[in-house]
Amino acid sequence: MKQILFIEPVLKERIWGGTRLNEYGYDLPSDQTGECWAISAHPHGDCVVRNGLYSGKTLSSLWNDHRELFGLPDAKEFPLLIKIIDARTDLSVQVHPDDAYAAEHENGAFGKTECWYVLDCKDDATIVIGHNAKTKEEAEQLIREGRFRELIREIPVHKGDFFQIEPGVLHAIKGGTLILETQQNSDVTYRVYDYDRLENGKPRELHKEQSLAVMKCPFRPKLGKPVTYRVGAAQVDHLITCPYYSVEHITLYGSASFTAGKVFQNISIIDGQGAIDGVPVRKGDHLIIPAGYGIFELSGDLQVIRSSPCELMVK
Ligand code: ZN
């Protein structure tokens, strides 16, 4: 009988971080805690299972020794990384390469596609998604002349918003925003602009060449509303299916049954409390439903982000 894996997050200090991750019940290492690596097998933050048969094991060791839990027999690495990010101040503007560019220029690493679900934000919060240059030449000129404010596309953001960020799209989380990020398990990032800030008296390095090489010009915003459907007492908003992952937001008042099929699923409880197959869960819990687990029941008053890797990720 397969068991649901409760995952112990890894907390990370960041210069732009704050204290809001304690709203999720985590012990913070400092008042500048920026990231909760909630479900991760990455060497920079390898989460540990905290229940059952595999209690105390890292996710990477289960990936290596118990691949049957995940259902991706041919995949090289654990495919996804789930984070909660508390941006007290602005993060730098970044862009990620796609798989092809990263394979060629970053020692065979994967590129990065990521998506953001806005858990909370201040009233006048904004976010950077995309840019205003019509051509690569225009982007190059604006970057060369340091005219970043003209380059970046900054838009208002609201609680519950969702953004899919493809490789080549400039992006930044700005201060006062709390997001849940689902991403490819990759750390390849090119910094485009850091608001001319200094760290220890020096500006942080910018990666202008690489950024320009991977930036998509012009930027075209992806529009579209989530597809919403009902499962039992749950409203399910299907947010995205891309070649790397599917992500849903679930609002539940009561109970509803879901199914884990051939591949594993990630469950993050982002608000409320309840139970999964009778085991209590609350805001801040993150779990993995193993591949082939079959039907599981969520109950209570819960807001949940559910994600799974796409089988295309098998490489
Ligand atoms: Zn990013």
Side-chain angles (χ1 to χ4, degrees):
M1 181 61 195
K2 285 179 173 167
Q3 214 174 33
I4 293 172
L5 307 173
F6 282 69
I7 308 296
E8 191 65 40
V10 174
L11 281 300
K12 299 272 188 186
E13 295 186 69
R14 298 286 186 248
I15 49 164
W16 41 261
T19 57
R20 292 201 60 189
L21 289 170
N22 68 16
E23 294 169 25
Y24 293 81
Y26 311 138
D27 287 330
L28 305 189
S30 81
D31 287 353
Q32 290 190 320
T33 304
E35 301 191 4
C36 159
W37 290 31
I39 298 179
S40 161
H42 195 282
H44 297 161
D46 197 356
C47 295
V48 165
V49 173
R50 65 168 155 87
N51 70 311
L53 187 59
Y54 303 112
S55 182
K57 299 258 192 238
T58 60
L59 200 48
S60 68
S61 73
L62 291 186
W63 174 257
N64 290 328
D65 302 339
H66 292 281
R67 187 62 65 87
E68 72 280 3
L69 294 170
F70 304 95
L72 296 167
D74 301 322
K76 225 168 63 186
E77 291 180 46
F78 184 80
L80 298 178
L81 178 49
I82 315 291
K83 292 182 186 177
I84 299 179
I85 296 177
D86 170 19
R88 184 180 46 82
T89 59
D90 300 343
L91 275 72
S92 58
V93 180
Q94 313 185 333
V95 63
H96 305 297
D98 61 15
D99 287 341
Y101 186 92
E104 191 180 333
H105 299 274
E106 302 288 346
N107 297 317
F110 288 116
K112 181 146 93 171
T113 297
E114 67 188 48
C115 64
W116 296 344
Y117 180 85
V118 179
L119 296 166
D120 199 11
C121 61
K122 63 181 185 184
D123 284 344
D124 56 348
T126 61
I127 213 155
V128 174
I129 305 276
H131 62 79
N132 299 313
K134 285 174 193 65
T135 61
K136 192 81 99 172
E137 290 69 35
E138 191 183 349
E140 195 171 352
Q141 186 181 1
L142 290 172
I143 289 175
R144 198 175 52 235
E145 296 174 2
R147 292 158 63 192
F148 295 101
R149 302 267 170 196
E150 290 166 66
L151 176 71
I152 60 176
R153 175 176 173 270
E154 191 168 340
I155 56 172
V157 68
H158 306 98
K159 183 173 175 168
D161 283 352
F162 174 79
F163 300 97
Q164 167 79 344
I165 298 160
E166 309 275 353
V169 172
L170 299 195
H171 59 280
I173 305 167
K174 308 260 334 217
T177 304
L178 204 57
I179 69 158
L180 185 139
E181 180 175 76
T182 304
Q183 58 165 80
Q184 271 180 282
N185 184 6
S186 158
D187 231 359
V188 185
T189 293
Y190 302 134
R191 189 178 295 124
V192 181
Y193 175 47
D194 198 29
Y195 317 98
D196 309 310
R197 293 185 293 199
L198 302 178
E199 186 178 82
N200 302 324
K202 284 185 298 204
R204 293 198 287 180
E205 187 192 358
L206 301 179
H207 311 102
K208 293 184 185 178
E209 292 290 313
Q210 295 98 320
S211 299
L212 269 168
V214 304
M215 263 175 77
K216 298 247 164 50
C217 297
F219 167 74
R220 292 184 210 282
K222 282 221 162 128
L223 303 171
K225 283 208 298 207
V227 177
T228 295
Y229 58 98
R230 293 201 71 87
V231 177
Q235 175 181 313
V236 180
D237 300 312
H238 179 89
L239 300 172
I240 189 85
T241 291
C242 73
Y244 301 101
Y245 46 72
S246 291
V247 181
E248 292 171 345
H249 175 263
I250 300 171
T251 306
L252 179 68
Y253 297 101
S255 66
S257 294
F258 299 89
T259 305
K262 281 194 290 192
V263 296
F264 73 96
Q265 296 179 8
N266 303 302
I267 299 273
S268 294
I269 310 292
I270 58 171
D271 209 356
Q273 53 186 326
I276 184 161
D277 279 353
V279 179
V281 292
R282 63 181 166 90
K283 178 175 176 175
D285 283 342
H286 303 273
L287 19 137
I288 291 177
I289 315 287
Y293 184 87
I295 294 170
F296 60 95
E297 189 188 59
L298 282 170
S299 58
D301 294 350
L302 292 172
Q303 304 272 328
V304 174
I305 297 289
R306 175 165 83 138
S307 63
S308 56
C310 287
E311 290 179 55
L312 272 176
M313 293 199 69
V314 179
K315 281 188 182 152

